[in-house]
Amino acid sequence: MTALACSAAPVSRKLGLGIAAGLGAGALWGMVFVAPRLAPGLSAVDLTAGRFVSFGVMAALMMVFGRRSHTWPSWSQAATALGLSLLGATGYYLLLAQAIGAAGPEVPTLIIGTIPVWVMLLGKPLGLKWSALLPGLVLTAAGLVLMMQATLTDGHALPLAGHDFWWGVLLALAAMVSWTAFALLNAAWLKRHLHISVSEWANWLGLATGVGALLLWLVAGSESKVLLAQEGKGLAAMACVATGVGSGWAGSLLWNLASRRLSMSLAGQLIVSETLCGLMYSFAWDATWPTTYQWLAVVLFTLGILMSIRAHR
């Protein structure tokens, strides 16, 4: 009995650390919901490029100042980091931005909101029964439905379902597939390469993302062009740095830790913490309270996380 208890303790600590890391990543990712309000003069491309470049600069600094303990990736590892950064950052954003431009913000946002469900479904471990995963999955899906209802009720009228609208829907679906693929492939890579630390991998992804962000800014163009020419440039720079270092570098580090320690079905469930924290930050910024639908969605999301944790113990 004592041996069983001792062997169970490390497993419990591993699970707890992974859950804390996943929730922490969501809390940091939620910052991007309010970042645009700090920099209303910047276009979405400028803000995103600034965020990703800040991520890359932070990763480079960590590599330089810790060069005695850090290593540079091989060509194969660098190519993998570049490909995954395209799936989970620059390529994903470009698809989403174009989707919003074609179909408006409401429908693409709701499509992207289903990512936790897809990651949960596609990342289920072979040994976990569907009956154990189903309660958390149903609660999360129900929370998404309520959140969609609140979004569509409070949002503007949807555009007519013409050619541009459906093209935007297809682009949003492509963005959803892109980030879902990133989550699954990134976790699989980390679990196959245990000799690479999660901080090392976060730095490599950051360098690749920073390079991709510069290319994105040059290719996609910019409405505002120069950060220093904008009013409130201090807040704009703060938004880029905060989301780059916080949501980018630190969020990537925590997500890598969660991806290595947890099954993707559980890690996928924890992604909803991004929505929860994003809502909390937005309500705090606006000094408002959630609607009834939003409160119910928050309760369902929280219960879904708890049920999923219970299923994976």
Side-chain angles (χ1 to χ4, degrees):
M1 187 65 140
T2 304
L4 287 174
C6 291
S7 62
V11 174
S12 179
R13 286 195 295 271
K14 176 182 176 181
L15 183 67
L17 182 58
I19 290 170
L23 293 174
L28 290 170
W29 289 340
M31 292 167 56
V32 302
F33 285 83
V34 295
R37 303 186 183 189
L38 293 174
L42 289 180
S43 70
V45 171
D46 286 323
L47 186 59
T48 302
R51 167 192 171 189
F52 289 153
V53 168
S54 297
F55 181 9
V57 169
M58 180 64 183
L61 289 175
M62 294 300 294
M63 294 288 291
V64 169
F65 288 115
R67 58 185 177 275
R68 293 184 178 180
S69 58
H70 289 286
T71 58
W72 289 94
S74 65
W75 286 110
S76 175
Q77 292 168 337
T80 301
L82 192 59
L84 287 177
S85 71
L86 184 66
L87 281 176
T90 49
Y92 160 76
Y93 167 74
L94 195 56
L95 288 169
L96 181 58
Q98 291 179 338
I100 291 173
E106 289 85 3
V107 172
T109 300
L110 299 180
I111 291 173
I112 294 302
T114 65
I115 285 177
V117 174
W118 293 113
V119 175
M120 289 169 65
L121 289 171
L122 297 173
K124 185 186 80 66
L126 293 176
L128 183 64
K129 295 181 179 179
W130 282 109
S131 58
L133 189 61
L134 191 60
L137 188 62
V138 169
L139 287 166
T140 300
L144 287 171
V145 169
L146 285 177
M147 195 62 67
M148 290 176 184
Q149 180 64 35
T151 300
L152 294 176
T153 299
D154 296 338
H156 299 294
L158 295 179
L160 295 177
H163 172 76
D164 288 345
F165 174 80
W166 290 113
W167 175 241
V169 170
L170 287 176
L171 289 171
L173 289 171
M176 178 194 72
V177 171
S178 181
W179 204 94
T180 301
F182 161 76
L184 297 171
L185 293 173
N186 183 64
W189 194 94
L190 283 166
K191 289 172 181 175
R192 286 197 312 270
H193 299 81
L194 296 177
H195 61 288
I196 303 296
S197 70
V198 293
S199 59
E200 198 82 271
W201 184 236
N203 289 330
W204 294 352
L205 282 176
L207 289 174
T209 301
V211 172
L214 287 175
L215 294 176
L216 170 67
W217 191 81
L218 292 173
V219 172
S222 168
E223 296 173 6
S224 51
K225 291 298 181 187
V226 183
L227 174 64
L228 295 179
Q230 302 304 305
E231 293 183 6
K233 54 183 176 290
L235 284 177
M238 184 185 303
C240 291
V241 173
T243 55
V245 176
S247 304
W249 183 80
S252 179
L253 178 62
L254 291 174
W255 178 249
N256 288 342
L257 182 60
S259 297
R260 175 167 281 176
R261 290 176 175 267
L262 305 176
S263 68
M264 280 314 297
S265 56
L266 179 52
Q269 175 76 68
L270 299 178
I271 295 174
V272 301
S273 64
E274 176 185 5
T275 302
L276 292 174
C277 291
L279 285 171
M280 180 181 68
Y281 302 152
S282 295
F283 292 138
W285 180 269
D286 293 331
T288 59
W289 287 94
T291 65
T292 301
Y293 282 138
Q294 288 168 330
W295 272 122
L296 290 174
V298 167
V299 171
L300 289 173
F301 284 150
T302 303
L303 290 175
I305 291 174
L306 294 175
M307 292 301 292
S308 189
I309 292 173
R310 180 181 180 184
H312 287 81
R313 283 189 179 279

